[in-house]
Amino acid sequence: MNTYKKLTILFIILFSQESFSQTQGTSEINVSLGVATFEDFRVAIDDVISSIVTTVVSGQELTHSDGGRLTGYTIHYSYAVKDRWMLGASLAYQTVNRKLFLDNKESGKSSSAVYSFGVETNYRYISNPIFQMYSGLGAGYAFGKSSFTLEDTNLEFKDKNKTDYKINYFTFHVTALGFRVGKKLEAFAEIGFGYKGILNGGISYQF
């Protein structure tokens, strides 16, 4: 059998309408890790703004240590309201910890912890018992707390050595492309952008 025939047979199997993995009434729960989340981008923008404000007000250069970001964790539940069409919800958690430097001298630290809750939907345009391919959308809300300590600065704070503030914002997630391989217990990987991260992957269980 030549390669063309093998690919044709594989194509027919993957797109077969006879056997769906996500039939109506099916449930799925998964846990995953994500990198380059929306929170990472929000923190990066916040760092730039705080650096500019500090430099303008105090005349000192404020910089932040690279790294210190903890990979985001997500737990997700979904239910097949129709064949191939899933509705569900996700809860993501992430912490970010950094050192602060004034004129290249370590002068404090910053930390934040954020929860993101989102309602999601996705559609499996390839769905069979061992392989699925899908795309999806999610919208939700993020909340948490950020705090920092900063010494040796001319900035005036209500409490100069410790400042806390709440984090609240609307958030989202777009799954551009997702893959699942397996039967009841599956491995999956997703490419997208939002509270789960640009790259997100883990394990899921279907029941």
Side-chain angles (χ1 to χ4, degrees), residues 76-147:
H76 173 82
Y77 169 80
S78 59
Y79 178 81
V81 293
K82 291 185 178 180
D83 291 347
R84 300 174 178 261
W85 182 26
M86 309 289 287
L87 289 178
S90 289
L91 178 64
Y93 174 74
Q94 182 177 5
T95 61
V96 180
N97 300 293
R98 302 170 326 287
K99 293 180 180 179
L100 306 179
F101 297 84
L102 285 171
D103 294 333
N104 296 318
K105 176 184 177 182
E106 186 175 338
S107 302
K109 59 184 179 179
S110 174
S111 65
S112 63
V114 176
Y115 293 90
S116 300
F117 176 79
V119 177
E120 300 178 14
T121 181
N122 67 60
Y123 182 76
R124 312 297 173 92
Y125 39 87
I126 297 178
S127 180
N128 65 54
I130 61 171
F131 180 80
Q132 299 106 53
M133 185 182 297
Y134 57 95
S135 296
L137 294 170
Y141 194 75
F143 57 94
K145 182 179 180 181
S146 180
S147 64

Side-chain angles (χ1 to χ4, degrees), residues 6 18-20 34 46 52 62 68 71 73 75 78 84 90 98-99 121 125 131 138 156 163 170 173 181 185 188:
K6 290 179 180 179
E18 300 299 323
S19 178
F20 298 129
D46 188 61
I52 293 173
L62 174 66
T71 301
Y73 296 95
I75 183 168
S78 59
R84 300 174 178 261
S90 289
R98 302 170 326 287
K99 293 180 180 179
T121 181
Y125 39 87
F131 180 80
E156 294 296 332
T163 300
F170 290 102
H173 189 81
V181 179
L185 184 63
F188 73 94

Side-chain angles (χ1 to χ4, degrees), residues 13-82:
I13 292 173
L14 290 179
F15 285 88
S16 171
Q17 300 293 316
E18 300 299 323
S19 178
F20 298 129
S21 178
Q22 273 65 41
T23 56
Q24 185 173 354
T26 300
S27 291
E28 185 175 275
I29 187 168
N30 67 53
V31 291
S32 63
L33 301 177
V35 296
T37 66
F38 185 83
E39 177 63 11
D40 284 328
F41 284 90
R42 188 200 67 81
V43 169
I45 293 172
D46 188 61
D47 287 350
V48 172
I49 294 174
S50 62
S51 295
I52 293 173
V53 171
T54 301
T55 300
V56 171
V57 176
S58 71
Q60 296 173 291
E61 182 183 12
L62 174 66
T63 56
H64 304 76
S65 63
D66 293 330
R69 287 170 169 75
L70 179 66
T71 301
Y73 296 95
T74 303
I75 183 168
H76 173 82
Y77 169 80
S78 59
Y79 178 81
V81 293
K82 291 185 178 180

